[in-house]
Amino acid sequence: MTTAAVNLPIIDLSSSDSISSANSIRQACIECGFFYLVNHGVEEELFAELFDRSSNFFSLPLEDKLKLSRKHNRGYTALFSENLDFASSSKGDSKESFYVGPLDDPTQSNLNQWPPEDILPSWRPAVESYYRKVMSAGKRLISVIALALNLDEDFFEKVGAMDKPKGFLRLLHYPGELGSTDEEIYGASAHSDYGMITLLASNGVCRDKSKQPRIWEDVLHIDGAFIVNIGDMMERWTNCLFRSTLHRVIPTGQERYSVAFFMDPNDDCVVECLKSCCSEASPPRTCPYKTENLFEREGCPTAHILQDFVCYT
């Protein structure tokens, strides 16, 4: 079931009133796990260039794209090759995508795949520029989220989460007409993101993961704004105070492009219930775990419902 568009707060990352921003983020993350982010430092020209580069890549012949098929969570995934809702009988999601992993750690950046320069000149530097800008915005946002959790703004730096954080950029292409079918097809089927936070564009959210039937709410596009959502890891960190919300993409019959940036701590970071989120009356619901334990199977750093880490109320 789908209802009217949800009214999300707009967080200004350039605001000097960090306490007010933190309070707004706290309320949004408790209620629905989503909010808009503006004045984040990613210029409109860079947005436009990235979408242009994305279009150039996905317009290549399939045989050229398949030469960059995903390995180590980097590279190309073809149309209908993923189904994010394991309970769905769909043949797969009607999207194709391209992943880029961490850039600044040589042991990680060497795993990235790139289209040949003679086919897509200057493609790599444009994508790398966007990646670094969003990573910078994400780090600044994490400081405000720390304040929202009644922590020092440098808390996540002090626990090592922001020491070589893992960021995965995902370029997404949703084709237009898919032909007639009796099967329900999604651009991205219902899922929650596994990590800390995601900066993305999305078509709809479902606040209560356990409720049946699910009630979906539209999230409207705002020019120049990121839609930020909380992931399963942050939900667990906060003892289920902040919501990791189910979301999905519904085909509109029109071709569209989007980009998601999944921001997560490094592999050595230990995720355990924050002291500001537990008490004698509300003890920790989950045990501590090391971030690297979530990377056991290929595909994990994208968007998966990891039932062991999801909080139901």
Side-chain angles (χ1 to χ4, degrees):
M1 184 188 307
T2 302
T3 64
V6 61
N7 184 25
L8 299 178
I10 299 175
I11 307 301
D12 184 348
L13 195 55
S14 69
S15 173
S16 59
D17 190 350
S18 57
I19 299 302
S20 177
S21 296
N23 290 337
S24 296
I25 287 176
R26 183 180 179 89
Q27 181 177 353
C29 292
I30 290 174
E31 291 181 353
C32 69
F34 274 75
F35 56 88
Y36 294 107
L37 187 70
V38 299
N39 294 326
H40 37 63
V42 182
E43 302 86 353
E44 291 184 15
E45 294 79 10
L46 188 53
F47 272 120
E49 181 178 16
L50 183 74
F51 282 112
D52 185 55
R53 302 290 184 180
S54 181
S55 175
N56 291 342
F57 173 79
F58 290 116
S59 297
L60 291 174
L62 180 60
E63 62 184 65
D64 288 340
K65 292 182 286 189
L66 289 176
K67 292 176 182 177
L68 299 169
S69 290
R70 192 173 77 175
K71 299 175 184 176
H72 307 292
N73 301 303
R74 281 86 163 169
Y76 175 71
T77 58
L79 197 65
F80 301 119
S81 63
E82 291 185 336
N83 185 347
L84 298 177
D85 186 352
F86 303 127
S88 169
S89 60
S90 169
K91 65 178 181 180
D93 294 339
S94 61
K95 67 177 184 298
E96 53 180 346
S97 63
F98 189 87
Y99 295 83
V100 177
L103 298 179
D104 297 324
D105 180 351
T107 63
Q108 295 288 325
S109 61
N110 291 338
L111 299 174
N112 284 322
Q113 303 187 72
W114 302 101
E117 182 73 13
D118 59 338
I119 295 179
L120 292 178
S122 302
W123 197 88
R124 176 176 176 174
V127 173
E128 288 181 330
S129 176
Y130 180 86
Y131 178 106
R132 289 192 167 95
K133 283 278 189 175
V134 182
M135 174 63 82
S136 176
K139 288 180 176 180
R140 291 160 56 206
L141 176 59
I142 287 293
S143 296
V144 187
I145 289 176
L147 293 176
L149 291 165
N150 298 321
L151 303 167
D152 294 337
E153 63 180 352
D154 62 348
F155 171 83
F156 290 105
E157 285 80 5
K158 289 190 293 188
V159 298
M162 294 295 100
D163 180 18
K164 295 182 180 178
K166 280 202 164 184
F168 278 81
L169 181 68
R170 190 177 193 189
L171 307 178
L172 293 150
H173 172 227
Y174 303 92
E177 294 297 330
L178 297 170
S180 59
T181 177
D182 294 332
E183 184 180 17
E184 189 169 25
I185 295 178
Y186 297 99
S189 46
H191 66 282
S192 60
D193 298 343
Y194 95 98
M196 289 182 74
I197 59 171
T198 305
L199 295 93
L200 82 165
S202 178
N203 276 63
V205 302
C206 175
R207 300 191 191 196
D208 191 337
K209 289 183 240 185
S210 59
K211 187 174 182 178
Q212 296 293 336
R214 293 170 176 168
I215 306 297
W216 296 94
E217 298 169 284
D218 289 335
V219 176
L220 302 179
H221 171 78
I222 296 179
D223 287 343
F226 284 117
I227 299 172
V228 179
N229 69 277
I230 295 300
D232 295 345
M233 186 184 298
M234 185 64 78
E235 183 179 68
R236 184 170 182 167
W237 230 327
T238 65
N239 208 27
C240 304
L241 176 68
F242 283 7
R243 291 175 178 239
S244 175
T245 304
L246 286 178
H247 50 284
R248 64 184 184 178
V249 177
I250 304 296
T252 62
Q254 295 181 328
E255 182 181 38
R256 63 182 288 251
Y257 297 87
S258 65
V259 58
F261 187 84
F262 304 94
M263 185 169 181
D264 306 301
N266 64 61
D267 287 350
D268 294 326
C269 182
V270 175
V271 176
E272 58 184 325
C273 179
L274 299 170
K275 288 183 172 56
S276 64
C277 297
C278 62
S279 64
E280 186 175 341
S282 180
R285 301 188 186 190
T286 58
C287 298
Y289 70 95
K290 208 171 183 180
T291 305
E292 66 177 352
N293 294 337
L294 290 180
F295 292 90
E296 293 177 354
R297 66 179 180 183
E298 185 162 339
C300 192
T302 57
H304 290 271
I305 307 171
L306 301 184
Q307 299 291 356
D308 290 345
F309 304 147
V310 173
C311 301
Y312 295 102
T313 58

